[in-house]
Amino acid sequence: MPTFHRAARAALDDTQQRRNLHHATRTIRDKRSRAVAELPHWEELRRAGAAAKDEALDHLADYLIRLEERLTAGGATVHWARDAAEANRIVLDIVRAKEAEEVVKVKSMVTQEIELNEALEAAGVNAWETDLAELIVQLGHDRPSHILVPAIHRNRREIRDIFQREMAAVGRPAPKDLTDEPSRLAEAARLHLREKFLRARVGVSGANFAIADTGSLVVVESEGNGRMCLTLPETLISVVGIEKVLPSWDDLGALLQLLPRSSTGERMNPYTTIWSGVHEGDGPQEVHVVLLDNGRTHVLGDRLGRQALRCIRCSACLNVCPVYERTGGHAYGSVYPGPIGAVLNPQLRGTESDIDRSLPWASSLCGACYDACPVGIDIPELLVELRSRVAGDRGRTAESVAMAATTWLFSDPRRLTAAQRATGVAGRLVGDRTIRSVPGLGAWTNARDLPNPPPESFRTWWARERGGGTREGSGR
């Protein structure tokens, strides 16, 4: 991936995408505002949600061990994965043991993070996305651009064209008379997916939350496709980031009020599915849970940066971000776009790549993301901290040299006085002429006029007008 700035410049040229994003994010923002306004104790809920996540993170090892014990007691098999490669290998081994040639998937950010679909495809296993937006992205040979609505950059006409062009190659074709009416598009997707649900032997999911006290996994969704994946297959594999753990059911109560209002603007999710291991004659009879690290313990070790692990993937920060609204999610180079992606990706992946080094600057620092975050992640504070770290890693740059020279100049009043006299001479020479592009100063002066140096400093004027009340070079 190129840097964010280069990718964003290309995205800004796509006027159709900008219109799609503006319409979608504005609609979601308005709906969320109305849902949040219904709760006079919203700020108390935010604090409760943040406290629950912090409690789990502060004692993560203990809660993960408790979660494993409860899952195992319920008949599930728990696997631990240090990174994406190990997680993909575990899932692939299970699928091969079942002699399955395809799996159906619940919408899952973490499986996209580890590129599970690509790993399965390379091994000859088809992974079918069943979430409507994820299906659009998959059929369109595209990448997700939003946490909640992965196909937010597509409009209805584009979706109809994708369905008509692609569905027949991988299953039931789209109706020949398909229109771009939402109900017709949803019906085409439902008919296409139904045959996949009914024949699938293995389902793959993530989890929104994992309850340590009971060994329960929780998936919330709006369409019901997730419940089909979680109940119909014989075998269920859930890949869960270790930060998803919560201590108890009491903690879940607050978060199930925060998440739907912040994500879809609903009072509650239409479908909330909770399962705890294996239950004879009810749902999958073989359950595997893969607990994934993939950089999370590195983030956990950062006392400031660890608050990013509170994230409940609601996407509220994306919907209020002026930068995301104009550039879309692809410019962030990750399944986690927007403000949360700008702080989470450089911590999970490091800052060795150009795209990860550039992400902390993918923000205007307006603070809207912090105001919208249901668990109080101070994203602007993290962005500033990450900018400082990235700048420090660069070593000596033109900017650092300039700042060092400025520090040296301002640390001695005699040096400052001499510099002021020199700029005064330059100001008298330049006069009223505007200084525009200056060789060596690059893009800064290409977009701005450089202020003319004043012909006289304030200190010189003060000494002249007030009869030497302050002596130049005295430091007073």
Side-chain angles (χ1 to χ4, degrees):
M1 281 292 297
T3 64
F4 173 82
H5 307 85
R6 291 182 180 178
R9 190 175 296 115
L12 288 171
D13 291 334
D14 189 338
T15 55
Q16 181 62 62
Q17 175 176 278
R18 293 212 317 271
R19 284 194 292 268
N20 296 345
L21 287 167
H22 173 71
H23 173 73
T25 55
R26 182 182 60 185
T27 300
I28 298 171
R29 279 199 306 269
D30 292 345
K31 191 176 180 183
R32 176 190 179 276
S33 296
R34 292 192 296 270
V36 168
E38 295 177 349
L39 296 181
H41 59 293
W42 178 253
E43 290 303 319
E44 295 177 22
L45 276 175
R46 287 182 78 197
R47 289 191 291 270
K53 294 293 289 185
D54 284 345
E55 166 64 20
L57 294 173
D58 289 343
H59 305 93
L60 186 59
D62 296 334
Y63 287 120
L64 286 174
I65 291 172
R66 185 182 304 174
L67 176 67
E68 180 185 30
E69 291 173 347
R70 300 297 188 273
L71 283 167
T72 302
T77 302
V78 177
H79 310 263
W80 298 83
R82 287 167 291 189
D83 54 28
E86 191 168 2
N88 289 335
R89 179 184 57 76
I90 291 168
V91 174
L92 183 56
D93 287 346
I94 297 169
V95 173
R96 281 174 171 162
K98 296 291 138 186
E99 299 181 347
E101 296 181 353
E102 63 179 358
V103 301
V104 289
K105 291 182 73 252
V106 186
K107 180 182 182 302
S108 166
M109 302 296 295
V110 73
T111 59
Q112 293 172 4
E113 174 191 332
I114 64 175
E115 298 182 340
L116 177 61
N117 287 12
E118 290 79 0
L120 291 173
E121 182 180 356
V125 178
N126 292 315
W128 305 120
E129 295 289 351
T130 63
D131 175 82
L132 177 56
E134 292 286 3
L135 175 66
I136 295 165
V137 170
Q138 186 175 44
L139 291 177
H141 309 287
D142 202 350
R143 292 179 292 122
S145 63
H146 191 275
I147 289 177
L148 179 68
V149 193
I152 196 172
H153 56 291
R154 298 288 194 183
N155 60 31
R156 296 185 303 181
R157 176 184 53 80
E158 292 173 307
I159 295 168
R160 179 204 61 199
D161 293 344
I162 289 172
F163 282 5
Q164 289 183 323
R165 185 177 64 247
E166 301 290 341
M167 274 186 170
V170 293
R172 180 168 179 157
K176 293 182 179 180
D177 62 346
L178 182 63
T179 69
D180 63 1
E181 287 298 313
S183 59
R184 292 294 309 280
L185 295 172
E187 179 187 23
R190 183 164 54 248
L191 294 173
H192 177 81
L193 290 170
R194 183 57 59 96
E195 62 181 30
K196 290 180 167 59
F197 286 134
L198 293 176
R199 71 170 182 252
R201 297 164 54 197
V202 177
V204 176
S205 81
N208 293 94
F209 308 105
I211 311 302
D213 276 354
T214 59
S216 303
L217 301 184
V218 183
V219 163
V220 296
E221 43 141 350
S222 299
E223 300 171 11
N225 61 290
R227 184 163 293 177
M228 301 282 277
C229 293
L230 295 168
T231 56
L232 290 178
E234 303 167 1
T235 301
L236 174 61
I237 307 169
S238 300
V239 184
V240 183
I242 56 175
E243 83 283 10
K244 297 292 187 177
V245 68
L246 291 176
S248 69
W249 283 102
D250 290 339
D251 303 308
L252 181 64
L255 291 163
L256 285 183
Q257 295 179 74
L258 291 166
L259 179 55
R261 283 179 165 84
S262 295
S263 57
T264 58
E266 297 170 297
R267 296 182 180 91
M268 64 181 294
N269 289 93
Y271 296 90
T272 300
T273 306
I274 304 172
W275 69 102
S276 307
V278 176
H279 299 272
E280 186 175 354
D282 182 12
Q285 296 303 289
E286 186 173 331
V287 173
H288 296 264
V289 179
V290 182
L291 296 175
L292 175 71
D293 185 336
N294 205 37
R296 286 159 174 77
T297 53
H298 172 74
V299 182
L300 187 68
D302 187 323
R303 297 303 301 179
L304 179 63
R306 69 189 307 174
Q307 63 180 299
L309 295 178
R310 290 182 199 157
C311 178
I312 57 175
R313 310 293 192 263
C314 69
S315 76
C317 61
L318 281 68
N319 299 326
V320 299
C321 178
V323 176
Y324 173 85
E325 183 180 326
R326 287 157 179 81
T327 64
H330 292 157
Y332 293 82
S334 167
V335 66
Y336 304 118
I340 188 61
V343 297
L344 191 58
N345 294 318
Q347 293 190 91
L348 287 175
R349 304 190 306 203
T351 53
E352 287 74 25
S353 69
D354 290 341
I355 180 66
D356 289 320
R357 281 195 298 272
S358 68
L359 285 178
W361 279 267
S363 171
S364 65
L365 298 181
C366 66
C369 50
Y370 173 63
D371 292 337
C373 179
V375 288
I377 302 172
D378 195 339
I379 294 177
E381 180 185 32
L382 292 179
L383 287 168
V384 172
E385 173 65 20
L386 287 169
R387 290 180 184 187
S388 175
R389 295 178 190 178
V390 171
D393 292 341
R394 289 176 179 169
R396 292 181 67 82
T397 62
E399 182 181 8
S400 65
V401 170
M403 291 298 103
T406 303
T407 301
W408 176 83
L409 181 66
F410 276 53
S411 64
D412 189 304
R414 289 168 295 187
R415 296 174 194 152
L416 180 59
T417 299
Q420 289 173 332
R421 287 173 177 166
T423 56
V425 172
R428 289 190 288 273
L429 291 174
V430 171
D432 295 331
R433 288 173 291 176
T434 300
I435 301 176
R436 297 191 184 277
S437 182
V438 178
L441 292 185
W444 198 92
T445 56
N446 289 338
R448 305 168 180 84
D449 291 339
L450 186 68
N452 290 0
E456 182 179 42
S457 70
F458 173 81
R459 295 168 72 186
T460 302
W461 173 86
W462 182 272
R464 175 169 53 78
E465 293 294 323
R466 299 303 173 108
T470 298
R471 292 185 293 112
E472 284 196 276
S474 69
R476 292 198 292 269

